[in-house]
Amino acid sequence: MSPVLNLMLIVLGTCISSAISKQFVFVNEAKTFDEAQIYCRRFHCDLASIEDAADFRLLQAAVRGITDPAAWIGLKKDWVGWRWSLSDSAFYKEGEAEYRRWKSGQLDNSGGIENCASVDNAGEFWDVSCNSSFPFICYDGNFLQRYVFVSEGKRWKDAQTFCRQKHTDLVSIRNQDENQKVSDLVPPGALVFIGLFKDDFRWSDNSSSSFRRWSAGEPGDSGACVEQSLSDKNTWADQNCDEPRPFICQDGEKMQILRLNLKSVQNVNDPVMKVSIMKQIQQKLVNLGMPKDAKLQWRVQSDGEIFHPLENDMNSQK
């Protein structure tokens, strides 16, 4: 059963940033990460989130000439789970971003360091160390040859950089048909990197961007929040969230939060259901004149869920 959506606007400000409207603002006030987040949400949209290299160039321009050593951005350690390097939501149909085919006995996180995924020639996924050296498969959205096998062994991050520079990204496997096409490229007995990785960080505005620009050796164990160095390197490091420092906000088109009342016999917090619901909301808002490139994000509650049952619904179930 599809959920019935009753959309109701409430008077709480939030932002939808489109590709043509996103701007970054440096705030030269020393605040903790939480204080900076409150400030940005009150006077702008949110702390800065970086979608891609173009966003990063905009951020660099916003802090050019700043002499402070570092500033908070909107990235914070908060268990997210396994996700694909290619984060464009339009690339995935309903449920495709959650496609997994783990080999029996895998997801064992041997040594506590297996945060990247590989695939064998049977199409089964293995969790492996991101610092291991494996061949890899790129996805290229611009040519008929969509899947490109690279025999040179690289670490996962280096493979991701290669694919993004030469093609589109490390390959995503969205369904059984693609799984077969990808596994056909894997030599017998070999493992190759794919674009699946375990992410421990979440953007303040809940965007799904996998863009990262860590300094060498980062992230480490210095803290749960992320600062951007304002030196020529412009790289990121994790730091103690309670240390005051300046910060970078982002601006976008001002909108109001949508509160949704859903009637469904299904679990609306299920990832597949959330994708379906978001697509319905997106289409409704586009029909009302919202730009097609606008990005919508769920507002995650303190317990990590999106939806909670209404009290009267809970009483009716007693």
Side-chain angles (χ1 to χ4, degrees):
M1 176 185 295
S2 298
V4 177
L5 303 183
N6 299 310
L7 306 185
M8 178 176 62
L9 286 175
I10 62 175
V11 185
L12 288 175
T14 189
C15 296
I16 298 175
S17 296
S18 70
I20 60 174
S21 67
K22 194 170 187 179
Q23 297 179 350
F24 295 105
V25 180
F26 176 76
V27 180
N28 192 19
E29 298 182 24
K31 295 184 181 293
T32 67
F33 182 93
D34 288 345
E35 291 170 344
Q37 183 184 59
I38 292 171
Y39 180 99
C40 289
R41 288 178 173 178
R42 180 179 180 185
F43 296 106
H44 300 279
C45 282
D46 212 316
L47 277 164
S49 65
I50 294 86
E51 183 74 22
D52 49 30
D55 267 6
F56 189 70
R57 287 192 293 270
L58 288 175
L59 185 143
Q60 286 178 296
V63 299
R64 188 171 294 125
I66 302 297
T67 58
D68 292 273
W72 293 126
I73 57 174
L75 197 60
K76 184 177 182 180
K77 186 172 290 186
D78 180 15
W79 172 246
V80 175
W82 290 90
R83 63 194 296 173
W84 295 103
S85 176
L86 181 53
S87 61
D88 182 3
S89 60
F91 183 68
Y92 303 92
K93 296 179 182 177
E94 182 176 342
E96 287 187 335
E98 287 75 41
Y99 180 86
R100 308 286 188 267
R101 194 185 170 197
W102 294 108
K103 181 178 177 63
S104 176
Q106 285 301 299
L107 284 180
D108 56 349
N109 194 23
S110 177
I113 57 172
E114 295 187 333
N115 296 324
C116 290
S118 61
V119 67
D120 59 26
N121 69 322
E124 294 185 310
F125 296 3
W126 299 59
D127 59 334
V128 294
S129 169
C130 301
N131 289 322
S132 298
S133 182
F134 289 114
F136 53 97
I137 296 176
C138 301
Y139 169 78
D140 198 315
N142 299 314
F143 296 95
L144 292 177
Q145 184 183 0
R146 296 297 178 119
Y147 305 113
V148 181
F149 174 76
V150 181
S151 61
E152 179 185 359
K154 291 182 181 290
R155 296 180 303 171
W156 189 90
K157 183 63 179 177
D158 296 330
Q160 181 193 51
T161 299
F162 179 96
C163 290
R164 288 178 171 180
Q165 290 177 345
K166 304 291 186 180
H167 303 284
T168 300
D169 211 321
L170 273 168
V171 68
S172 296
I173 299 177
R174 299 175 290 185
N175 50 56
Q176 183 57 40
D177 179 60
E178 290 186 352
N179 192 30
Q180 184 63 55
K181 292 177 181 178
V182 169
S183 62
D184 285 345
L185 298 177
V186 180
L191 293 176
V192 304
F193 276 134
I194 56 178
L196 194 62
F197 72 107
K198 188 162 41 175
D199 192 8
D200 291 336
F201 288 84
R202 184 192 298 274
W203 291 104
S204 178
D205 66 355
N206 293 318
S207 68
S208 60
S209 169
S210 61
F211 184 91
R212 304 290 187 264
R213 193 177 173 88
W214 296 112
S215 301
E218 298 288 345
D221 296 315
S222 299
C225 296
V226 177
E227 66 173 15
Q228 165 148 336
S229 168
L230 301 182
S231 67
D232 291 339
K233 292 183 179 180
N234 286 307
T235 51
W236 303 352
D238 57 1
Q239 294 294 340
N240 185 333
C241 302
D242 294 329
E243 294 181 4
R245 52 178 38 79
F247 50 97
I248 305 167
C249 302
Q250 69 183 30
D251 274 329
E253 299 176 1
K254 287 286 183 179
M255 297 284 291
Q256 290 182 310
I257 291 174
L258 285 172
R259 174 179 288 168
L260 292 96
N261 297 324
L262 281 78
K263 297 179 180 179
S264 176
V265 297
Q266 301 182 38
N267 176 14
V268 291
N269 280 305
D270 179 79
V272 175
M273 283 293 294
K274 287 189 288 188
V275 170
S276 175
I277 294 167
M278 180 64 83
K279 287 183 177 180
Q280 293 181 59
I281 297 170
Q282 180 94 23
Q283 188 58 56
K284 285 177 180 289
L285 294 178
V286 167
N287 292 342
L288 292 172
M290 184 184 77
K292 290 184 178 180
D293 65 347
K295 298 170 184 176
L296 306 182
Q297 290 92 34
W298 293 117
R299 178 71 71 178
V300 179
Q301 306 300 318
S302 59
D303 61 358
E305 299 285 14
I306 303 295
F307 299 105
H308 290 122
L310 294 174
E311 186 175 349
N312 59 342
D313 287 344
M314 295 178 68
N315 292 335
S316 65
Q317 296 174 10
K318 293 181 179 179

